[in-house]
Amino acid sequence: MARCIVLLGPPGAGKGTQAKSLARQRNLEHVSTGDLLRSEIASGSELGRRVQATVEAGRLVPDEVVAELVAARLDRGGDLLLDGFPRTVAQARVLGDLLDERKWPAPRVVALRVDDDEVVRRLAARRTCPSCGPQAAAEDCVQCGAALLTRPDDAEGVVRERLSIYAAQTVPLMAYYASLGQLAVVDGSGAPGDVARRIEEVVPA
Ligand code: AMP
């Protein structure tokens, strides 16, 4: 039977990097709702045009929009690692229903805990290569040499908005999943390799 792992954590917690590493280790398909929305925006699709202003302002797009993107991924089958969904208790309930309808087991949820100061420092330094993804370099991609980009929603004021939305809307998810006995909290500070090992300890092979 297919399974679903959820990775939670504040913006800048290293979720994307850890998700890629865990997906490789555990043979899961990495589904990032942020990446899906950014590629809709980049392609100029109707959906992309509808959500662009919201995403760039660091606010949450409507639940139905992300639920539809995730449902389409569930319907393709295979074990999934969800990164960036659910972000609210309402979305967690939707995910529960989507999994129930497909007779998938309840998700295993891993939450990364990182201090706010570290999050702000990491986001200010975050750069992404359009082809190779996030990295620690300053200007050019260490793999392909392309110029690195910053995300519009990593601007300082927008980061503050995203952190306050995280505190108000996503933190309550921890209590929700803890009450269901599905939550493991992992220390997200320190070197990415150390964090990856801590995550692997709580995600069965
Ligand atoms: P991320 O890459 O996960 O930081 O997501 C970037 C942006 O995409 C967020 O700030 C939201 O605008 C939007 N987004 C991603 N996932 C969701 C979600 N589950 N619910 C609502 N908005 C989302």
Side-chain angles (χ1 to χ4, degrees):
M1 197 195 301
R3 69 168 170 161
C4 174
I5 312 283
V6 170
L7 193 57
L8 290 180
K15 269 195 321 288
T17 305
Q18 293 302 332
K20 285 193 181 71
S21 149
L22 184 66
R24 242 189 342 263
Q25 283 296 325
R26 295 287 187 258
N27 207 15
L28 305 163
E29 191 197 346
H30 174 204
V31 177
S32 154
T33 43
D35 284 350
L36 294 174
L37 291 167
R38 280 185 289 277
S39 65
E40 292 286 340
I41 293 169
S43 75
S45 70
E46 202 270 322
L47 172 65
R49 286 198 303 276
R50 245 188 310 136
V51 299
Q52 180 163 15
T54 307
V55 170
E56 291 183 355
R59 292 193 301 271
L60 298 184
V61 307
D63 291 346
E64 317 78 77
V65 172
V66 276
E68 213 170 288
L69 292 171
V70 170
R73 288 303 166 116
L74 290 175
D75 286 337
R76 277 166 38 177
D79 295 342
L80 297 189
L81 175 58
L82 295 181
D83 158 13
F85 179 90
R87 256 176 158 89
T88 63
V89 173
Q91 290 183 7
R93 295 210 169 93
V94 169
L95 175 63
D97 291 345
L98 291 172
L99 295 173
D100 279 352
E101 284 159 15
R102 290 161 180 77
K103 312 236 175 315
W104 286 35
R108 173 82 173 145
V109 181
V110 180
L112 291 178
R113 197 184 35 221
V114 183
D115 286 349
D116 272 8
D117 286 352
E118 185 157 354
V119 158
V120 171
R121 195 177 52 71
R122 286 189 193 180
L123 287 176
R126 175 152 83 179
R127 302 284 183 275
T128 306
C129 169
S131 338
C132 310
Q135 50 190 277
E139 281 171 15
D140 295 330
C141 175
V142 289
Q143 289 170 51
C144 73
L148 299 178
L149 306 175
T150 50
R151 276 171 45 174
D153 58 349
D154 281 347
E156 197 188 322
V158 183
V159 166
R160 262 193 239 111
E161 171 78 4
R162 288 162 64 205
L163 285 173
S164 76
I165 289 175
Y166 182 79
Q169 313 237 46
T170 307
V171 168
L173 260 188
M174 314 263 179
Y176 173 79
Y177 279 126
S179 74
L180 296 173
Q182 292 165 19
L183 181 73
V185 179
V186 166
D187 176 7
S189 63
D194 294 337
V195 179
R197 273 186 291 280
R198 287 177 214 137
I199 295 175
E200 281 163 36
E201 277 167 21
V202 299
V203 176

